[in-house]
Amino acid sequence: MESVWREIELRPGLRVSSFESTPSSDFSFSYQKKNSYLDFGFFLEGAIVNNLYETTTGAHRLENFAGYGGLGFFRELSGMVESAAQVKARIIHLHISPELLYELLVEDIHAVHDDLKNLLENKSDQDFFLHHTMDPIVHAAANELFYALSGGQCSRMYLEGKALELIGLQVMKLESYSGVHNTILTPREVEQIRDVQEHLKENFDVPPSMAELSKAHMMSISKIQSGFQELFGMSVFGFLKEYKLRKARMFFEDGDMNVSEVAWALGYTNLSHFSAAYKKRYGVLPKQFLNSVRERRTAVSACGCF
């Protein structure tokens, strides 16, 4: 597969770009640029290393894997990107001016991460970078925007709406991750809860029991439950259900699996239960959604968009 780079200006001060590639051999490239935009990055598939050589915060080696995200602002930067052969990579970036983001967030500025807030309010001229694992809701929203952009059939208004939704989700999630507002968790417990989350994501099709999670991560069941409520705003069961349904939508968007295959891949043993859960979450039966995805892809292929 050849590398595909797409970029669209959605409105003055807001751009979206995506990158998709499966290199036949190891590759790397260097870059150097001046910048006046905030960059929200979402790594959806694969692995890419970004070596930042010269920034005002020093040198950084960022190892990005599927499920990682970042928010950065560097007025000047240079570095080198590296990727291994035969590893498919999918990435989407949102580039937004500080002035526009401040205008959008002015009513909620109190809830914004301190580094971002200081930049938007012109209280600091320091560059910054936040690197983190993505919340499953953010990951799914990023995938939706990626496929909408790559499909070519969506209007700019739709793309702009999805981009703003994704920025809004990410800004709020970044603050919830910081754990600075009346937290009842210690830094060590926050790390443990995130490890539990990763454990569930890696075994979503055959999830461990609460007792198994408690033993594996040396936390009480009640602490895990309260930790999930604090960090992610939902119970462990709620998180797992939401993650699986978002995963189902991603599988359908890929267009390679039928409803039964998706249900089995997610660990559902009863197709009716899966269909009911999907309809409750998205307002449409999975079969209907899959048909609409396939019809859309056929229409896009026929018109040769993108």
PDB file of all heavy atoms in Angstrom, residues 61-90:
ATOM      1  N   ARG A  61      11.665  11.471  22.823  1.00  0.00           N
ATOM      2  CA  ARG A  61      11.474  10.311  21.957  1.00  0.00           C
ATOM      3  C   ARG A  61      10.080   9.771  22.246  1.00  0.00           C
ATOM      4  O   ARG A  61       9.831   9.195  23.304  1.00  0.00           O
ATOM      5  CB  ARG A  61      12.532   9.234  22.203  1.00  0.00           C
ATOM      6  CG  ARG A  61      12.341   7.979  21.332  1.00  0.00           C
ATOM      7  CD  ARG A  61      13.446   6.958  21.580  1.00  0.00           C
ATOM      8  NE  ARG A  61      13.179   5.696  20.930  1.00  0.00           N
ATOM      9  CZ  ARG A  61      13.461   5.419  19.650  1.00  0.00           C
ATOM     10  NH1 ARG A  61      14.028   6.352  18.910  1.00  0.00           N
ATOM     11  NH2 ARG A  61      13.194   4.234  19.120  1.00  0.00           N
ATOM     12  N   LEU A  62       9.175   9.980  21.327  1.00  0.00           N
ATOM     13  CA  LEU A  62       7.779   9.614  21.523  1.00  0.00           C
ATOM     14  C   LEU A  62       7.486   8.318  20.787  1.00  0.00           C
ATOM     15  O   LEU A  62       7.491   8.279  19.552  1.00  0.00           O
ATOM     16  CB  LEU A  62       6.866  10.728  21.009  1.00  0.00           C
ATOM     17  CG  LEU A  62       7.147  12.134  21.561  1.00  0.00           C
ATOM     18  CD1 LEU A  62       6.227  13.138  20.913  1.00  0.00           C
ATOM     19  CD2 LEU A  62       7.001  12.156  23.070  1.00  0.00           C
ATOM     20  N   GLU A  63       7.238   7.254  21.526  1.00  0.00           N
ATOM     21  CA  GLU A  63       6.896   5.964  20.940  1.00  0.00           C
ATOM     22  C   GLU A  63       5.377   5.848  20.917  1.00  0.00           C
ATOM     23  O   GLU A  63       4.738   5.661  21.943  1.00  0.00           O
ATOM     24  CB  GLU A  63       7.535   4.837  21.742  1.00  0.00           C
ATOM     25  CG  GLU A  63       9.059   4.892  21.722  1.00  0.00           C
ATOM     26  CD  GLU A  63       9.709   3.705  22.417  1.00  0.00           C
ATOM     27  OE1 GLU A  63       8.957   2.859  22.956  1.00  0.00           O
ATOM     28  OE2 GLU A  63      10.948   3.631  22.426  1.00  0.00           O
ATOM     29  N   ASN A  64       4.810   5.996  19.739  1.00  0.00           N
ATOM     30  CA  ASN A  64       3.362   6.038  19.579  1.00  0.00           C
ATOM     31  C   ASN A  64       2.830   4.711  19.051  1.00  0.00           C
ATOM     32  O   ASN A  64       3.300   4.211  18.030  1.00  0.00           O
ATOM     33  CB  ASN A  64       2.991   7.157  18.607  1.00  0.00           C
ATOM     34  CG  ASN A  64       3.389   8.520  19.135  1.00  0.00           C
ATOM     35  OD1 ASN A  64       2.930   8.935  20.193  1.00  0.00           O
ATOM     36  ND2 ASN A  64       4.247   9.223  18.405  1.00  0.00           N
ATOM     37  N   PHE A  65       1.864   4.167  19.764  1.00  0.00           N
ATOM     38  CA  PHE A  65       1.210   2.929  19.367  1.00  0.00           C
ATOM     39  C   PHE A  65      -0.284   3.186  19.244  1.00  0.00           C
ATOM     40  O   PHE A  65      -0.788   4.223  19.677  1.00  0.00           O
ATOM     41  CB  PHE A  65       1.477   1.821  20.393  1.00  0.00           C
ATOM     42  CG  PHE A  65       2.928   1.543  20.631  1.00  0.00           C
ATOM     43  CD1 PHE A  65       3.611   2.151  21.674  1.00  0.00           C
ATOM     44  CD2 PHE A  65       3.632   0.674  19.801  1.00  0.00           C
ATOM     45  CE1 PHE A  65       4.960   1.899  21.888  1.00  0.00           C
ATOM     46  CE2 PHE A  65       4.969   0.422  19.998  1.00  0.00           C
ATOM     47  CZ  PHE A  65       5.636   1.042  21.049  1.00  0.00           C
ATOM     48  N   ALA A  66      -0.996   2.240  18.653  1.00  0.00           N
ATOM     49  CA  ALA A  66      -2.444   2.359  18.543  1.00  0.00           C
ATOM     50  C   ALA A  66      -3.051   2.586  19.923  1.00  0.00           C
ATOM     51  O   ALA A  66      -2.732   1.879  20.878  1.00  0.00           O
ATOM     52  CB  ALA A  66      -3.027   1.098  17.919  1.00  0.00           C
ATOM     53  N   GLY A  67      -3.880   3.603  20.025  1.00  0.00           N
ATOM     54  CA  GLY A  67      -4.496   3.924  21.306  1.00  0.00           C
ATOM     55  C   GLY A  67      -3.812   5.045  22.052  1.00  0.00           C
ATOM     56  O   GLY A  67      -4.274   5.461  23.112  1.00  0.00           O
ATOM     57  N   TYR A  68      -2.698   5.574  21.483  1.00  0.00           N
ATOM     58  CA  TYR A  68      -2.008   6.698  22.107  1.00  0.00           C
ATOM     59  C   TYR A  68      -2.451   7.997  21.441  1.00  0.00           C
ATOM     60  O   TYR A  68      -2.815   8.028  20.266  1.00  0.00           O
ATOM     61  CB  TYR A  68      -0.495   6.560  21.967  1.00  0.00           C
ATOM     62  CG  TYR A  68       0.143   5.717  23.040  1.00  0.00           C
ATOM     63  CD1 TYR A  68      -0.109   4.349  23.126  1.00  0.00           C
ATOM     64  CD2 TYR A  68       0.986   6.283  23.988  1.00  0.00           C
ATOM     65  CE1 TYR A  68       0.470   3.567  24.102  1.00  0.00           C
ATOM     66  CE2 TYR A  68       1.581   5.509  24.981  1.00  0.00           C
ATOM     67  CZ  TYR A  68       1.309   4.153  25.032  1.00  0.00           C
ATOM     68  OH  TYR A  68       1.879   3.370  26.011  1.00  0.00           O
ATOM     69  N   GLY A  69      -2.393   9.073  22.206  1.00  0.00           N
ATOM     70  CA  GLY A  69      -2.713  10.388  21.681  1.00  0.00           C
ATOM     71  C   GLY A  69      -1.788  11.429  22.265  1.00  0.00           C
ATOM     72  O   GLY A  69      -1.033  11.163  23.204  1.00  0.00           O
ATOM     73  N   GLY A  70      -1.842  12.617  21.693  1.00  0.00           N
ATOM     74  CA  GLY A  70      -1.000  13.685  22.192  1.00  0.00           C
ATOM     75  C   GLY A  70      -1.583  15.042  21.859  1.00  0.00           C
ATOM     76  O   GLY A  70      -2.343  15.196  20.902  1.00  0.00           O
ATOM     77  N   LEU A  71      -1.242  16.020  22.672  1.00  0.00           N
ATOM     78  CA  LEU A  71      -1.579  17.410  22.424  1.00  0.00           C
ATOM     79  C   LEU A  71      -0.319  18.222  22.627  1.00  0.00           C
ATOM     80  O   LEU A  71       0.310  18.146  23.688  1.00  0.00           O
ATOM     81  CB  LEU A  71      -2.679  17.887  23.378  1.00  0.00           C
ATOM     82  CG  LEU A  71      -2.912  19.407  23.438  1.00  0.00           C
ATOM     83  CD1 LEU A  71      -3.282  19.954  22.069  1.00  0.00           C
ATOM     84  CD2 LEU A  71      -3.979  19.739  24.475  1.00  0.00           C
ATOM     85  N   GLY A  72       0.070  18.967  21.613  1.00  0.00           N
ATOM     86  CA  GLY A  72       1.306  19.724  21.727  1.00  0.00           C
ATOM     87  C   GLY A  72       1.222  21.086  21.087  1.00  0.00           C
ATOM     88  O   GLY A  72       0.389  21.339  20.211  1.00  0.00           O
ATOM     89  N   PHE A  73       2.097  21.962  21.551  1.00  0.00           N
ATOM     90  CA  PHE A  73       2.258  23.270  20.939  1.00  0.00           C
ATOM     91  C   PHE A  73       3.736  23.620  20.970  1.00  0.00           C
ATOM     92  O   PHE A  73       4.311  23.838  22.032  1.00  0.00           O
ATOM     93  CB  PHE A  73       1.447  24.332  21.679  1.00  0.00           C
ATOM     94  CG  PHE A  73       1.528  25.688  21.035  1.00  0.00           C
ATOM     95  CD1 PHE A  73       0.820  25.959  19.882  1.00  0.00           C
ATOM     96  CD2 PHE A  73       2.327  26.689  21.580  1.00  0.00           C
ATOM     97  CE1 PHE A  73       0.898  27.212  19.280  1.00  0.00           C
ATOM     98  CE2 PHE A  73       2.409  27.934  20.984  1.00  0.00           C
ATOM     99  CZ  PHE A  73       1.698  28.203  19.831  1.00  0.00           C
ATOM    100  N   PHE A  74       4.354  23.622  19.809  1.00  0.00           N
ATOM    101  CA  PHE A  74       5.763  23.975  19.662  1.00  0.00           C
ATOM    102  C   PHE A  74       5.874  25.033  18.574  1.00  0.00           C
ATOM    103  O   PHE A  74       5.492  24.789  17.423  1.00  0.00           O
ATOM    104  CB  PHE A  74       6.599  22.753  19.270  1.00  0.00           C
ATOM    105  CG  PHE A  74       6.639  21.666  20.310  1.00  0.00           C
ATOM    106  CD1 PHE A  74       5.878  20.516  20.157  1.00  0.00           C
ATOM    107  CD2 PHE A  74       7.419  21.808  21.440  1.00  0.00           C
ATOM    108  CE1 PHE A  74       5.912  19.508  21.114  1.00  0.00           C
ATOM    109  CE2 PHE A  74       7.458  20.806  22.408  1.00  0.00           C
ATOM    110  CZ  PHE A  74       6.706  19.658  22.243  1.00  0.00           C
ATOM    111  N   ARG A  75       6.405  26.180  18.937  1.00  0.00           N
ATOM    112  CA  ARG A  75       6.554  27.252  17.943  1.00  0.00           C
ATOM    113  C   ARG A  75       7.609  26.911  16.900  1.00  0.00           C
ATOM    114  O   ARG A  75       7.486  27.307  15.746  1.00  0.00           O
ATOM    115  CB  ARG A  75       6.907  28.559  18.651  1.00  0.00           C
ATOM    116  CG  ARG A  75       5.752  29.098  19.507  1.00  0.00           C
ATOM    117  CD  ARG A  75       6.177  30.254  20.371  1.00  0.00           C
ATOM    118  NE  ARG A  75       5.040  30.788  21.126  1.00  0.00           N
ATOM    119  CZ  ARG A  75       4.603  30.276  22.272  1.00  0.00           C
ATOM    120  NH1 ARG A  75       5.212  29.204  22.786  1.00  0.00           N
ATOM    121  NH2 ARG A  75       3.555  30.795  22.895  1.00  0.00           N
ATOM    122  N   GLU A  76       8.624  26.182  17.302  1.00  0.00           N
ATOM    123  CA  GLU A  76       9.646  25.690  16.378  1.00  0.00           C
ATOM    124  C   GLU A  76      10.025  24.284  16.809  1.00  0.00           C
ATOM    125  O   GLU A  76      10.175  24.019  17.997  1.00  0.00           O
ATOM    126  CB  GLU A  76      10.888  26.588  16.381  1.00  0.00           C
ATOM    127  CG  GLU A  76      10.661  27.988  15.853  1.00  0.00           C
ATOM    128  CD  GLU A  76      11.957  28.767  15.720  1.00  0.00           C
ATOM    129  OE1 GLU A  76      13.016  28.134  15.485  1.00  0.00           O
ATOM    130  OE2 GLU A  76      11.923  30.000  15.851  1.00  0.00           O
ATOM    131  N   LEU A  77      10.175  23.386  15.858  1.00  0.00           N
ATOM    132  CA  LEU A  77      10.589  22.035  16.201  1.00  0.00           C
ATOM    133  C   LEU A  77      11.226  21.362  14.995  1.00  0.00           C
ATOM    134  O   LEU A  77      10.977  21.727  13.848  1.00  0.00           O
ATOM    135  CB  LEU A  77       9.427  21.196  16.719  1.00  0.00           C
ATOM    136  CG  LEU A  77       8.339  20.728  15.733  1.00  0.00           C
ATOM    137  CD1 LEU A  77       7.579  19.568  16.359  1.00  0.00           C
ATOM    138  CD2 LEU A  77       7.369  21.842  15.415  1.00  0.00           C
ATOM    139  N   SER A  78      12.071  20.396  15.299  1.00  0.00           N
ATOM    140  CA  SER A  78      12.679  19.567  14.269  1.00  0.00           C
ATOM    141  C   SER A  78      12.822  18.167  14.832  1.00  0.00           C
ATOM    142  O   SER A  78      12.836  17.964  16.048  1.00  0.00           O
ATOM    143  CB  SER A  78      14.054  20.115  13.864  1.00  0.00           C
ATOM    144  OG  SER A  78      14.948  20.081  14.961  1.00  0.00           O
ATOM    145  N   GLY A  79      12.918  17.197  13.950  1.00  0.00           N
ATOM    146  CA  GLY A  79      13.026  15.822  14.426  1.00  0.00           C
ATOM    147  C   GLY A  79      13.042  14.828  13.293  1.00  0.00           C
ATOM    148  O   GLY A  79      13.219  15.182  12.124  1.00  0.00           O
ATOM    149  N   MET A  80      12.833  13.556  13.664  1.00  0.00           N
ATOM    150  CA  MET A  80      12.814  12.473  12.688  1.00  0.00           C
ATOM    151  C   MET A  80      11.734  11.477  13.068  1.00  0.00           C
ATOM    152  O   MET A  80      11.596  11.093  14.239  1.00  0.00           O
ATOM    153  CB  MET A  80      14.167  11.761  12.618  1.00  0.00           C
ATOM    154  CG  MET A  80      14.187  10.553  11.678  1.00  0.00           C
ATOM    155  SD  MET A  80      15.800   9.744  11.598  1.00  0.00           S
ATOM    156  CE  MET A  80      16.728  10.975  10.681  1.00  0.00           C
ATOM    157  N   VAL A  81      10.967  11.046  12.073  1.00  0.00           N
ATOM    158  CA  VAL A  81       9.916  10.041  12.253  1.00  0.00           C
ATOM    159  C   VAL A  81      10.428   8.709  11.720  1.00  0.00           C
ATOM    160  O   VAL A  81      11.033   8.652  10.649  1.00  0.00           O
ATOM    161  CB  VAL A  81       8.633  10.448  11.527  1.00  0.00           C
ATOM    162  CG1 VAL A  81       7.613   9.317  11.546  1.00  0.00           C
ATOM    163  CG2 VAL A  81       8.042  11.704  12.160  1.00  0.00           C
ATOM    164  N   GLU A  82      10.202   7.624  12.478  1.00  0.00           N
ATOM    165  CA  GLU A  82      10.648   6.295  12.082  1.00  0.00           C
ATOM    166  C   GLU A  82       9.469   5.326  12.119  1.00  0.00           C
ATOM    167  O   GLU A  82       8.625   5.396  13.010  1.00  0.00           O
ATOM    168  CB  GLU A  82      11.731   5.778  13.030  1.00  0.00           C
ATOM    169  CG  GLU A  82      12.936   6.690  13.183  1.00  0.00           C
ATOM    170  CD  GLU A  82      13.842   6.250  14.314  1.00  0.00           C
ATOM    171  OE1 GLU A  82      13.531   5.237  14.981  1.00  0.00           O
ATOM    172  OE2 GLU A  82      14.863   6.912  14.547  1.00  0.00           O
ATOM    173  N   SER A  83       9.434   4.410  11.149  1.00  0.00           N
ATOM    174  CA  SER A  83       8.393   3.388  11.123  1.00  0.00           C
ATOM    175  C   SER A  83       8.981   2.091  10.580  1.00  0.00           C
ATOM    176  O   SER A  83       9.827   2.111   9.686  1.00  0.00           O
ATOM    177  CB  SER A  83       7.220   3.831  10.250  1.00  0.00           C
ATOM    178  OG  SER A  83       6.192   2.855  10.248  1.00  0.00           O
ATOM    179  N   ALA A  84       8.521   0.964  11.118  1.00  0.00           N
ATOM    180  CA  ALA A  84       9.035  -0.341  10.707  1.00  0.00           C
ATOM    181  C   ALA A  84       8.289  -0.859   9.480  1.00  0.00           C
ATOM    182  O   ALA A  84       7.149  -0.473   9.207  1.00  0.00           O
ATOM    183  CB  ALA A  84       8.906  -1.344  11.849  1.00  0.00           C
ATOM    184  N   ALA A  85       8.948  -1.745   8.744  1.00  0.00           N
ATOM    185  CA  ALA A  85       8.362  -2.326   7.537  1.00  0.00           C
ATOM    186  C   ALA A  85       7.150  -3.195   7.868  1.00  0.00           C
ATOM    187  O   ALA A  85       7.091  -3.824   8.928  1.00  0.00           O
ATOM    188  CB  ALA A  85       9.409  -3.165   6.800  1.00  0.00           C
ATOM    189  N   GLN A  86       6.188  -3.208   6.935  1.00  0.00           N
ATOM    190  CA  GLN A  86       5.016  -4.073   6.998  1.00  0.00           C
ATOM    191  C   GLN A  86       4.102  -3.801   8.192  1.00  0.00           C
ATOM    192  O   GLN A  86       3.290  -4.647   8.562  1.00  0.00           O
ATOM    193  CB  GLN A  86       5.437  -5.552   6.997  1.00  0.00           C
ATOM    194  CG  GLN A  86       6.294  -5.956   5.828  1.00  0.00           C
ATOM    195  CD  GLN A  86       5.626  -5.709   4.484  1.00  0.00           C
ATOM    196  OE1 GLN A  86       4.422  -5.865   4.345  1.00  0.00           O
ATOM    197  NE2 GLN A  86       6.418  -5.307   3.489  1.00  0.00           N
ATOM    198  N   VAL A  87       4.246  -2.635   8.814  1.00  0.00           N
ATOM    199  CA  VAL A  87       3.377  -2.269   9.927  1.00  0.00           C
ATOM    200  C   VAL A  87       2.436  -1.163   9.463  1.00  0.00           C
ATOM    201  O   VAL A  87       2.868  -0.037   9.210  1.00  0.00           O
ATOM    202  CB  VAL A  87       4.193  -1.783  11.149  1.00  0.00           C
ATOM    203  CG1 VAL A  87       3.247  -1.348  12.267  1.00  0.00           C
ATOM    204  CG2 VAL A  87       5.123  -2.887  11.636  1.00  0.00           C
ATOM    205  N   LYS A  88       1.178  -1.510   9.301  1.00  0.00           N
ATOM    206  CA  LYS A  88       0.207  -0.515   8.846  1.00  0.00           C
ATOM    207  C   LYS A  88       0.021   0.552   9.917  1.00  0.00           C
ATOM    208  O   LYS A  88      -0.117   0.245  11.097  1.00  0.00           O
ATOM    209  CB  LYS A  88      -1.139  -1.171   8.541  1.00  0.00           C
ATOM    210  CG  LYS A  88      -2.173  -0.186   8.009  1.00  0.00           C
ATOM    211  CD  LYS A  88      -3.486  -0.876   7.677  1.00  0.00           C
ATOM    212  CE  LYS A  88      -4.511   0.130   7.151  1.00  0.00           C
ATOM    213  NZ  LYS A  88      -5.805  -0.521   6.836  1.00  0.00           N
ATOM    214  N   ALA A  89       0.020   1.792   9.486  1.00  0.00           N
ATOM    215  CA  ALA A  89      -0.149   2.913  10.413  1.00  0.00           C
ATOM    216  C   ALA A  89      -1.307   3.782   9.946  1.00  0.00           C
ATOM    217  O   ALA A  89      -1.453   4.052   8.754  1.00  0.00           O
ATOM    218  CB  ALA A  89       1.133   3.733  10.491  1.00  0.00           C
ATOM    219  N   ARG A  90      -2.131   4.202  10.893  1.00  0.00           N
ATOM    220  CA  ARG A  90      -3.206   5.155  10.621  1.00  0.00           C
ATOM    221  C   ARG A  90      -3.167   6.225  11.705  1.00  0.00           C
ATOM    222  O   ARG A  90      -3.199   5.915  12.893  1.00  0.00           O
ATOM    223  CB  ARG A  90      -4.578   4.492  10.607  1.00  0.00           C
ATOM    224  CG  ARG A  90      -4.820   3.558   9.444  1.00  0.00           C
ATOM    225  CD  ARG A  90      -6.277   3.108   9.356  1.00  0.00           C
ATOM    226  NE  ARG A  90      -6.734   2.458  10.572  1.00  0.00           N
ATOM    227  CZ  ARG A  90      -7.657   2.955  11.393  1.00  0.00           C
ATOM    228  NH1 ARG A  90      -8.214   4.144  11.146  1.00  0.00           N
ATOM    229  NH2 ARG A  90      -8.025   2.283  12.470  1.00  0.00           N
TER     230      ARG A  90
END
